[in-house]
Amino acid sequence: MQPFTFSTVARVVSGNGEALKLAVHCANLGVQNVLLVTDPGLVSIGLIGPVQDAMGAAGIRVTLFAKVSEDPPEAVVLAAAAAGKESGVDGVVAVGGGSSMDVAKVAAALLCSDQALSDMYGVEQLTGGRLPLILVPTTAGTGSEVTPVAVITTGETTKAGVSSAVLLPDIAVLDADLSLGLPPRVTAMTGVDAMVHAIEAYTSKIKKNPVSDNLARSALSLLARNIRTAVHDGRQRDARGAMLLGAMQAGQAFANAPVAAVHALAYPLGGHYHIPHGLSNSLVLPAVLRFNLPEAMGLYAELAELVVGATVSGSDEARAEALISSLEAVIVDLSLPATLSEAGVREDSLETLAQDAMLQTRLLVNNPRDVTYEDALGIYRAAFWPRA
Ligand SMILES: NC(=O)c1ccc[n+]([C@@H]2O[C@H](COP(=O)([O-])OP(=O)(O)OC[C@H]3O[C@@H](n4cnc5c(N)ncnc54)[C@H](O)[C@@H]3O)[C@@H](O)[C@H]2O)c1
Ligand SMILES: [Fe+2]
């Protein structure tokens, strides 16, 4: 067996209503004065008030920072850290999607170190520690609650990642009650993102490992079986719980067996067109998988029954094709745009997108098949028009 390493969060707590018991977890970590990081939308729909009140009633002092925006810029991270410093907090809690969790992760590090944010980007660049950290996802997508990564917007079209074991939280709390009101479109986009995490982890070229493989398979099965219900009948608590569990397992998988060309080709769509991360992935997913077939057919065939169902049979080629067709059907059923043209991408920008995708070398090295500039352009072209 190939040697491998696998790291994940020290503790996962899962249960309906767990977000109202955060004070217990704070106390276990010795935290009495907390920075609660979230976004204004979640405050306005009434999701944060009860969580904040429950902590306050249990004697925890709470400083609310509710200024996180989607794809958070550096200024938001610095403002969160400044708010925490002013209140002298001794711990950080995020309740929100990947944007809030990523801000909380870096703020917890900034509050415990003199290192400048600009020196934190890259892999294992953090020189200090972090404050105690609890992450509570309200979307089922990024898996940020169990990844060592935070993604920050650094320019007009650019994002940068801080990747460090320091950013793995002390506790990830999964509470399906928080995601019952997640709008169908966000549920669909973030859910497909999680499915892509599972698929790309399972075919990751260099760091694929048996622990990630099992998590990826479990994740894909949970996500594929529940995504339609979560989107079309979002009050179904069991489907929401399954999506949260699936997204977390996919996060654990790709934190150790990193994502590849789907994400590499998705990022430029976010940068140039502000297409949300999950939708960007969804738009290029079928074309990237078809491109990868010569190298990944066997692995895609192994994943087919998790998405298509136990009835899938035949050669590796037939089962791999069934996986891709089934994913295309999911995208249609979720009412997501299926082509780049439908999503408003201009045909004359495909060369620029392909050039930008080639810069994602950190991701492309994980792809089962080498990707050249011509390949990237060919994939964008294939994703542009409906398939004949
Ligand atoms: N750290 C990682 O490992 C990692 C991985 C992938 C992506 N990311 C980053 O995560 C961010 C995307 O995160 P996201 O997709 O979770 O979305 P998000 O946090 O940006 O939230 C998207 C929208 O959904 C709303 N929302 C969230 N939960 C809701 C709920 N329960 N009910 C109603 N509305 C709700 C928010 O208010 C917001 O308007 C991006 O910045 C991306 O780069 C991080
Ligand atoms: Fe992703």
Side-chain angles (χ1 to χ4, degrees):
M1 191 192 292
Q2 287 276 27
F4 69 94
T5 56
F6 183 90
S7 312
T8 194
V9 65
R11 181 178 297 180
V12 173
V13 178
S14 173
N16 299 331
E18 275 299 330
L20 299 177
K21 302 176 198 160
L22 285 172
V24 177
H25 305 306
C26 288
N28 286 340
L29 295 171
V31 172
Q32 293 169 332
N33 183 5
V34 89
L35 179 69
L36 175 57
V37 179
T38 189
D39 73 54
L42 296 182
V43 175
S44 69
I45 61 170
L47 210 66
I48 301 302
V51 175
Q52 186 179 356
D53 292 348
M55 278 200 276
I60 306 279
R61 198 177 145 207
V62 180
T63 299
L64 180 65
F65 180 85
K67 293 182 186 152
V68 174
S69 49
E70 290 178 27
D71 302 311
E74 288 185 321
V76 167
V77 179
L78 296 172
K85 192 169 183 189
E86 198 180 320
S87 302
V89 298
D90 57 9
V92 179
V93 173
V95 179
S99 299
S100 296
M101 291 191 283
D102 286 2
V103 169
K105 284 160 121 170
V106 183
L110 287 167
L111 282 163
C112 211
S113 151
D114 293 330
Q115 195 179 7
L117 174 56
S118 53
D119 294 334
M120 291 183 170
Y121 295 112
V123 179
E124 298 302 344
Q125 299 299 314
L126 263 61
T127 51
R130 60 154 172 76
L131 288 184
L133 179 64
I134 302 175
L135 300 178
V136 190
T138 61
T139 59
T142 68
S144 178
E145 69 276 14
V146 290
T147 72
V149 178
V151 184
I152 308 298
T153 299
T154 48
E156 266 301 299
T157 61
T158 50
K159 285 185 168 191
V162 179
S163 177
S164 166
V166 171
L167 297 188
L168 277 171
D170 295 291
I171 310 177
V173 176
L174 306 186
D175 181 351
D177 286 353
L178 294 179
S179 62
L180 293 177
L182 189 66
R185 193 173 158 80
V186 187
T187 305
M189 295 188 299
T190 49
V192 173
D193 182 29
M195 292 174 79
V196 174
H197 294 159
I199 294 167
E200 294 213 283
Y202 197 72
T203 56
S204 197
K205 190 172 178 178
I206 302 165
K207 293 188 177 169
K208 178 176 168 64
N209 67 81
V211 182
S212 284
D213 283 352
N214 272 326
L215 288 161
R217 291 182 64 90
S218 171
L220 190 59
S221 173
L222 284 164
L223 295 162
R225 281 187 284 126
N226 289 281
I227 194 166
R228 288 180 174 88
T229 307
V231 168
H232 297 303
D233 193 4
R235 306 298 302 178
Q236 295 268 359
R237 196 178 262 114
D238 287 349
R240 291 295 195 179
M243 292 298 291
L244 272 180
L245 183 58
M248 183 196 72
Q249 291 183 334
Q252 291 175 307
F254 91 84
N256 295 277
V259 293
V262 179
H263 274 74
L265 272 77
Y267 276 127
L269 295 170
H272 288 277
Y273 288 98
H274 298 290
I275 296 175
H277 176 74
L279 177 56
S280 306
N281 277 303
S282 173
L283 287 166
V284 295
L285 174 66
V288 172
L289 297 195
R290 286 208 168 82
F291 169 80
N292 283 344
L293 277 174
E295 299 294 339
M297 189 182 290
L299 294 176
Y300 292 157
E302 287 173 21
L303 293 178
E305 69 171 309
L306 306 175
V307 178
V308 185
T311 52
V312 69
S313 61
S315 63
D316 278 5
E317 188 177 1
R319 286 182 294 139
E321 183 50 49
L323 171 75
I324 301 171
S325 308
S326 195
L327 291 167
E328 286 173 322
V330 170
I331 292 165
V332 170
D333 288 352
L334 302 184
S335 306
L336 292 174
T339 62
L340 293 178
S341 51
E342 224 182 302
V345 173
R346 288 191 328 273
E347 197 174 11
D348 64 8
S349 68
L350 300 187
E351 279 96 351
T352 308
L353 295 172
Q355 277 158 13
D356 278 15
M358 293 314 292
L359 301 176
Q360 302 287 336
T361 47
R362 187 178 59 84
L363 301 175
L364 290 172
V365 291
N366 303 312
N367 202 55
R369 183 176 171 192
D370 288 346
V371 182
T372 65
Y373 166 78
E374 281 73 26
D375 295 331
L377 187 57
I379 293 168
Y380 281 127
R381 286 197 174 125
F384 192 79
W385 300 111
R387 275 187 94 223

